[in-house]
Amino acid sequence: MAIPDYQTFMRPVLEYLADGQVHRFRDLVEAMADRFGLSAAERAELLPSGAQKKVNNRVGWAATYLSQAGLIERPGRGLLRISARGAEALYRYPDRIDVSVLEQYPDFIEFRERRRERGSDPARRSSRHSDLGESDGDDETPNDLLDRAVSINRAAVESEVLGAALKLSPTGFEELVVRLLERMGYGRLGSVERTSASGDAGVDGIISQDPLGLDRIYVQAKRYAEDRPVDRPRIHEFAGALLGKQGDRGVYITTSRFTDGAREQAERINARIELIDGARLAELLVQYGVGVQPEQTATLYKLDEDFFEGI
């Protein structure tokens, strides 16, 4: 038989994980290939780009979407485990689990909204689905399709990279922030250093924009869960730390979010403090290639009319 689309894989993936144990992705792919009786040729079939096996890609997308809905967990790299919500979904939906089912879960709706916010033309958005995600209609050009695929991928990876950041230790998260700032070009003529280990109260990192360290930006990095927002007192404390160092610029980075009071406090004080919440942090990590790696690229071609007119 032909390799199933990624939605057809969704319920079988959950069934395979139903024992509650942690499973390797490679074993999941092999189990799905066995489940659907794929031939050796089908198991070896590659995407048009040649970058990945098609069955791995489709099982991977099924797992990604299930993860976005909270039906499976990712306890480690290349590891998967069903969640309590996933076990309940197997009971509630005995025949098929697909995108229409996942839309019943707020986490998945939030993921879809993040993806749609990246769309270039809101008038083209719809809820119809295709083999690789959502379809906005039959009038899409290849460029439209590619842009949509990229936006879906970015939204999914941003969610996953933020989840990975939340699993880091506090010092590990500070190191992640330092690496991101370095990749963004801060400290290029000076340095970016983590300071919390040295007991520098109120500051987790210092960006020296020049070799002598005369131009400094102070960094606060806090790994908080989504239900623990950064509030006004935390910003006030950071502002006090800046004042103690005679600094006037700071960056407060968190995996969580900022309350309205926190944002008002950052606007009110004399020092300039940039607030970067979890959503923005995830965007920056993917944008600057920190904690992620490219999977494949695609090149679109167009007719070179000048070439043919010159012949």
Side-chain angles (χ1 to χ4, degrees), residues 245-258:
K245 297 180 178 299
Q246 298 183 326
D248 62 356
R249 288 180 297 168
V251 181
Y252 200 118
I253 301 177
T254 181
T255 52
S256 181
R257 55 188 174 83
F258 296 97

Side-chain angles (χ1 to χ4, degrees), residues 53-130:
K53 292 180 180 179
K54 183 177 289 188
V55 64
N56 291 50
N57 179 267
R58 292 187 177 177
V59 174
W61 273 110
T64 291
Y65 273 39
L66 291 169
S67 174
Q68 297 300 327
L71 303 190
I72 64 175
E73 301 168 347
R74 297 179 182 271
R77 180 179 180 182
L79 301 178
L80 304 169
R81 176 175 58 205
I82 195 170
S83 66
R85 184 183 296 177
E88 191 267 343
L90 279 175
Y91 176 78
R92 287 184 60 190
Y93 305 101
D95 298 323
R96 178 178 169 87
I97 293 176
D98 54 23
V99 170
S100 66
V101 169
L102 301 188
E103 288 176 336
Q104 310 305 311
Y105 297 93
D107 289 350
F108 188 75
I109 295 297
E110 181 181 349
F111 158 65
R112 293 286 284 275
E113 289 306 314
R114 289 199 307 272
R115 200 281 301 172
R116 285 172 178 163
E117 286 172 2
R118 295 182 172 277
S120 58
D121 185 356
R124 295 176 62 83
R125 298 170 188 159
S126 83
S127 59
R128 290 183 292 174
H129 311 296
S130 71

